[in-house]
Amino acid sequence: MLKSFFLFFLISLSFESYSQEKVLWSYHYDETNEELVLDAQIADGWHIYSQVINEGIGPIPTSFTYFENSDVKLIGKTIEPESIREYDENFEGELNFFKENATFKQKMKVSTSTSVKGVITYMTCNDTMCLPPKDVEFVITINKL
């Protein structure tokens, strides 16, 4: 009986560790710099990949999709901080990724109060495994004075 309980306890813990969020996203509009700020807080031991990776290796790069809005003009591409470039055991190659946190920025011109909607797509891995790619929808309200 004790052995069965212990096995059940270990299985429960393993499912709990897989179900927790490994990346928490927050986002806002920076009116001073006229840009969206999309911030990823990454759990200890985990990482997300850069927008720019060696595509022949295999992970899903982080990407940002912005839905059409006639009141918003995107300027350039989404900018990312300097990434870490190291050998990735999961994909057996050199890849660019972020640990702990990463702040992405998208410059834009906004003509009136509106909202920006989009999707962040990313893949989270640690040193031994990867979770399936995930999409996070976001809505950022912009109030022009």
Side-chain angles (χ1 to χ4, degrees):
M1 177 72 172
L2 184 59
K3 202 184 240 186
S4 297
F5 175 76
F6 184 67
L7 182 60
F8 175 76
F9 179 72
L10 286 177
I11 291 170
S12 297
L13 279 179
S14 67
F15 281 122
E16 179 64 26
S17 68
Y18 290 121
S19 67
Q20 293 177 351
E21 287 294 321
K22 305 302 179 200
V23 180
L24 297 177
W25 288 93
S26 62
Y27 24 82
H28 69 277
Y29 178 70
D30 177 348
E31 191 171 344
T32 303
N33 295 311
E34 294 185 316
E35 62 190 10
L36 293 183
V37 179
L38 305 118
D39 186 57
Q41 294 299 313
I42 306 162
D44 288 342
W46 293 84
H47 59 268
I48 62 172
Y49 292 95
S50 168
Q51 297 175 93
V52 180
I53 60 168
N54 181 344
E55 292 185 27
I57 295 179
I60 302 298
T62 300
S63 64
F64 302 89
T65 304
Y66 305 98
F67 299 142
E68 188 92 15
N69 181 333
S70 60
D71 296 323
V72 176
K73 180 183 178 200
L74 301 178
I75 301 171
K77 296 182 180 186
T78 304
I79 299 167
E80 67 181 32
E82 187 173 340
S83 60
I84 300 166
R85 183 166 181 83
E86 289 181 1
Y87 184 81
D88 188 311
E89 291 287 336
N90 295 310
F91 297 99
E92 300 177 343
E94 293 275 325
L95 289 168
N96 294 35
F97 56 86
F98 304 99
K99 293 181 178 180
E100 297 179 13
N101 61 53
T103 300
F104 300 86
K105 297 179 180 180
Q106 175 63 58
K107 287 279 200 189
M108 60 180 44
K109 287 285 184 192
V110 180
S111 58
T112 186
S113 293
T114 188
S115 62
V116 176
K117 298 177 184 180
V119 177
I120 305 165
T121 302
Y122 67 97
M123 186 172 184
T124 311
C125 298
N126 65 17
D127 291 339
T128 58
M129 63 178 252
C130 294
L131 300 177
K134 187 167 185 176
D135 292 333
V136 174
E137 294 184 15
F138 65 87
V139 177
I140 300 170
T141 302
I142 300 171
N143 294 314
K144 294 294 272 187
L145 301 177

